[in-house]
């Protein structure tokens, strides 16, 4: 790996940190998957830009990992650079009249941002009660719940492109819809954003937050999962309902099992493999297709491969 020594030559502790053969099971909510050949933690947007242009010039594959709460990493790991956003954590805000503009880097944890909003009585993020991960991950997939999503709050987003260029996307350039965001691309890192919240009252904000939090009782929040596995095919047809009616609840492969609490969650236990989860996903898709003629689309993202379905 000649490229690794080149990357190391650029290294400086206050710029980006480089680690070799890092187990990604410790960095994902499934706690599964093989190692990243190289795991890099940039501390600034400039460092992200350098890593991106390096990977593009040297033709080294690259993956971006936020909180790892919506990904399944292949058991063989990832043979390139994984950019972890955990050190991109700056946050500031400005209150203008009844609006709160939050300027936040992508590695900042969404639950921490929700906690700040609750404490200050800022409204807008209550829907995110119980959504783990980072702000960057939420923007990449337009994370949402309870009829709202993070895209509703966005004023602008900055991204670092494959060639290292930093682009600011204004509100009008951005398209967000159900679990979709036009800024997401495997070749791009979301570096920072501005979200607009509203000044409100702590009690009101807290009441709504608690109301949404209660709804989480219908989900296996304490298990090793990556949230909903599939997207809902349409607003009035939930993937969970289709999976349940197709008899998927309780199905298992190796250490992976379709949750008995919510059929759109896969829980893993013990020394489960990513390949168990993948085979279970394919098995569920087949069942739903056979019963309803509906092809379910993945919400979680697969990192690495090739993936093989073992029946
Ligand atoms: C218990 C549980 C409950 C959940 N509930 C919900 C829910 O109600 N609603 C919902 O929408 N999701 C839910 N999720 C899924 C997940 O938490 C969200 O999708 C979350 O926003 C993912 O953020 P992350 O930082 O963990 O992203 P990761 O899992 O790290 O990454 C997800 C994808 O985003 C990309 N990405 C991450 N950061 C960046 C970045 N800075 N720049 C570019 N790309 C990036 C990754 O490359 C990957 O493709 C749940 C998950 C769990 C485990």
């Amino acid at each position: 790996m000649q490229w690794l020594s080149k990357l190391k030559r650029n290294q400086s502790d206050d710029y980006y940190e480089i680690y070799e053969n890092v187990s990604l099971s410790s960095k994902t909510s499934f706690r599964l998957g093989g190692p990243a050949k190289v795991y890099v933690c940039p501390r600034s947007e400039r460092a992200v830009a350098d890593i991106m242009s390096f990977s593009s010039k040297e033709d080294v594959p690259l993956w971006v990992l936020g909180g790892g709460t919506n990904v399944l990493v292949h058991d063989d790991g990832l043979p390139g650079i994984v950019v972890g956003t955990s050190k991109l954590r700056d946050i500031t805000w400005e209150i203008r009249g009844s609006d709160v503009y939050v300027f936040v880097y992508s590695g900042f944890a969404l639950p921490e941002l929700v906690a700040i909003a609750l404490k200050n009585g800022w409204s807008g993020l209550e829907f995110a009660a119980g959504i783990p991960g980072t702000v960057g991950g939420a923007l990449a997939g337009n994370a949402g719940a309870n009829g709202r999503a993070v895209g509703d709050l966005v004023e602008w987003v900055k991204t670092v492109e494959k060639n290292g260029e930093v682009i600011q996307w204004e509100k009008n350039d951005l398209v967000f819809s159900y679990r979709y965001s036009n800024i997401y691309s495997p070749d791009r890192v979301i570096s920072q954003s501005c979200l607009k919240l509203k000044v409100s009252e702590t009690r009101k904000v807290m009441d709504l937050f608690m109301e949404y939090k209660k709804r989480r009782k219908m989900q296996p929040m304490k298990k090793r999962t990556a949230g909903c596995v599939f997207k809902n095919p349409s607003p009035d047809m939930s993937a969970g309902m289709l999976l349940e009616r197709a008899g998927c609840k309780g199905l298992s492969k190796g250490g992976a099992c379709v949750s008995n609490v919510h059929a759109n969650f896969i829980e893993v236990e013990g020394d489960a493999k990513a390949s168990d989860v993948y085979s279970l996903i394919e098995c569920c898709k087949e069942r739903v297709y056979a019963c309803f003629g509906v092809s379910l689309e993945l919400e979680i993202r697969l990192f690495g491969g090739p993936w093989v379905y073992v029946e």
Side-chain angles (χ1 to χ4, degrees):
M1 281 205 300
Q2 256 184 331
W3 59 265
L4 178 56
S5 11
K6 281 195 203 164
L7 186 66
K8 277 184 174 167
R9 254 178 263 140
N10 289 341
Q11 185 184 13
S12 136
D13 279 351
D14 56 0
Y15 196 46
Y16 53 80
E17 297 166 16
I18 303 179
Y19 306 93
E20 281 175 68
N21 291 318
V22 173
S23 160
L24 291 174
S25 61
S26 63
K27 304 206 178 290
T28 60
S29 55
F30 263 141
R31 285 188 260 138
L32 286 179
K37 199 85 198 149
V38 175
Y39 186 76
V40 185
C41 293
R43 289 182 175 273
S44 66
E45 197 168 64
R46 195 161 67 92
V48 176
D50 273 7
I51 296 162
M52 292 296 278
S53 53
F54 177 87
S55 108
S56 153
K57 269 187 217 136
E58 298 289 326
D59 203 19
V60 180
L62 179 142
W63 292 265
V64 187
L65 193 66
T69 64
N70 209 207
V71 295
L72 178 64
V73 177
H74 197 278
D75 295 313
D76 292 343
L78 304 174
I81 299 174
V82 173
V83 177
T85 59
S86 60
K87 305 280 181 201
L88 295 169
R89 282 186 37 87
D90 287 355
I91 183 166
T92 54
W93 54 81
E94 260 175 49
I95 299 178
R96 296 181 211 151
S98 61
D99 297 326
V100 186
Y101 293 87
V102 180
F103 306 95
V104 60
Y105 274 73
S106 60
F108 199 84
L110 185 63
E112 222 178 311
L113 178 55
V114 173
I116 292 174
L118 284 181
K119 189 172 150 229
N120 288 288
W122 301 338
S123 162
L125 273 167
E126 299 88 331
F127 73 86
I131 304 184
T134 60
V135 172
L139 290 166
N142 193 22
N146 308 300
R148 301 222 55 202
V150 73
D152 303 342
L153 305 168
V154 173
E155 289 293 296
W156 54 256
V157 176
K158 277 192 188 175
T159 60
V160 182
E161 303 298 303
K162 206 176 169 178
N163 60 2
E165 189 189 356
V166 177
I167 293 185
Q168 177 156 333
W169 302 62
E170 299 301 336
K171 212 170 174 168
N172 289 342
D173 308 324
L174 296 164
V175 181
F176 290 106
S177 60
Y178 169 67
R179 296 301 93 79
Y180 168 84
S181 133
N182 67 334
I183 37 169
Y184 171 74
S185 153
D187 291 331
R188 172 180 290 142
V189 177
I190 296 164
S191 50
Q192 46 175 318
S193 62
C194 172
L195 307 180
K196 186 164 108 179
L197 305 179
K198 284 272 171 208
V199 174
S200 178
E201 290 160 34
T202 300
R203 230 189 93 202
K204 268 195 198 161
V205 177
M206 182 60 92
D207 284 352
L208 190 54
F209 171 85
M210 291 310 288
E211 174 60 36
Y212 289 149
K213 195 144 189 228
K214 267 193 231 148
R215 298 187 191 172
R216 295 275 166 184
K217 286 198 176 133
M218 309 303 289
Q219 298 177 353
M221 296 302 284
K222 294 202 170 126
K223 301 283 184 174
R224 286 162 59 191
T225 76
C228 286
V229 175
F230 300 104
K231 294 184 184 180
N232 293 328
S234 70
D236 50 5
M237 189 193 281
S238 83
M241 181 269 292
L242 294 176
L243 289 156
E244 186 163 351
R245 292 201 184 151
C248 295
K249 265 191 173 175
L251 276 184
S252 67
K253 295 263 179 198
C257 173
V258 176
S259 173
N260 277 309
V261 181
H262 190 308
N264 201 10
F265 282 68
I266 288 181
E267 300 172 6
V268 302
E269 273 185 7
D271 56 0
K273 300 266 174 289
S275 57
D276 298 335
V277 177
Y278 181 75
S279 291
L280 191 54
I281 286 172
E282 288 301 313
C283 173
C284 288
K285 277 172 82 170
E286 274 187 6
R287 281 211 179 194
V288 167
Y289 190 78
C291 291
F292 306 107
V294 175
S295 297
L296 289 178
E297 195 188 323
L298 277 184
E299 180 171 324
I300 60 171
R301 302 249 161 86
L302 302 179
F303 277 15
W307 295 88
V308 180
Y309 173 27
V310 182
E311 283 186 54

